[in-house]
Amino acid sequence: TVVCRIEGQLCMSLPDGQRTIGPHFVADADLAGLLFDCDGTLIDTMPLFYHSWAEVCPQHGLSMSEDDFYGFAGKPLPDIVREMHRAQKGTDATDAFVAAFLTEKKRAHLQAEEKLGAPAPIACVVALARGALARGVPVCLATSGLREHVERHLESAGLADIFNSRLGNVVCAAEVAAGKPAPDIFLEAARRIGAGLEMQPR
């Protein structure tokens, strides 16, 4: 193993040209499971999602730049709406405001998707997921996305055979107590595939 630094971060050069940021890595043979994010990791959804935010925010007296959008990446949608409302209007958004905003955003997203087409899978990440399954390593999706969007995108990307409700290996933020960056969604995803902390040897 070769230790180096990239942009100030400790980096280890692993076999086959792989790299890891930080001092820790797990050999493939020791993996209990793999967790994947969906948007921008497994499927290239992010550019498509920005269209609906840019369209709907002004209708509700809010604004979101593209930099803002990527800064919110990974957070649950209701949390993003509440955070923007607090920052830009100085008050907490009501549940009714959040619900109305998200209803309109879903509509705008569907229209954008009909016009621009469904988002494509990110091939190198899909290869990791399918490769893990081929080796008997379970996989799970841990996403802040809305389930209706996630399942449609998985289907259109040809990934519904490995991530689906029947297998129980898709966890959405609405199903846990706290969304990202809290660890709840990752802990639940790991539990579902038998890789939870309580399953690991001490």
Side-chain angles (χ1 to χ4, degrees), residues 90-201:
T91 59
D92 289 333
T94 64
D95 290 345
F97 179 95
V98 174
F101 185 103
L102 293 179
T103 296
E104 190 61 22
K105 187 192 176 303
K106 290 177 193 177
R107 178 204 59 76
H109 174 75
L110 286 174
Q111 287 186 342
E113 195 168 315
E114 287 172 3
K115 179 189 293 187
L116 300 172
I122 298 175
C124 60
V125 182
V126 172
L128 289 174
R130 292 197 179 278
L133 287 173
R135 300 192 307 274
V137 178
V139 299
C140 192
L141 196 64
T143 174
S144 292
L146 302 175
R147 181 167 285 275
E148 60 199 89
H149 289 167
V150 172
E151 291 184 344
R152 186 175 65 256
H153 291 159
L154 288 170
E155 184 69 38
S156 63
L159 298 173
D161 61 318
I162 59 174
F163 296 106
N164 59 62
S165 297
R166 179 181 59 80
L167 294 173
N169 66 346
V170 177
V171 185
C172 297
E175 299 160 21
V176 295
K180 300 174 186 177
D184 301 42
I185 195 167
F186 301 110
L187 295 173
E188 173 60 16
R191 185 194 67 78
R192 290 196 189 185
I193 57 174
L197 295 178
E198 69 281 2
M199 305 294 292
Q200 305 309 307

Side-chain angles (χ1 to χ4, degrees), residues 1-6 9-25:
T1 301
V2 178
V3 179
C4 61
R5 286 191 177 272
I6 296 179
Q9 295 289 320
L10 185 65
C11 167
M12 287 192 179
S13 183
L14 304 176
D16 302 319
Q18 302 173 76
R19 291 186 182 278
T20 181
I21 300 299
H24 304 291
F25 68 93

Side-chain angles (χ1 to χ4, degrees), residues 35-77:
L35 308 183
F36 292 84
D37 185 24
C38 183
D39 298 316
T41 301
L42 192 67
I43 303 176
D44 190 20
T45 55
M46 297 300 278
L48 185 63
F49 277 131
Y50 177 63
H51 286 277
S52 54
W53 284 105
E55 177 182 336
V56 174
C57 279
Q59 299 173 14
H60 294 269
L62 299 173
S63 64
M64 178 185 278
S65 68
E66 193 166 2
D67 284 345
D68 293 336
F69 169 71
Y70 283 102
F72 284 125
K75 292 187 177 181
L77 272 63

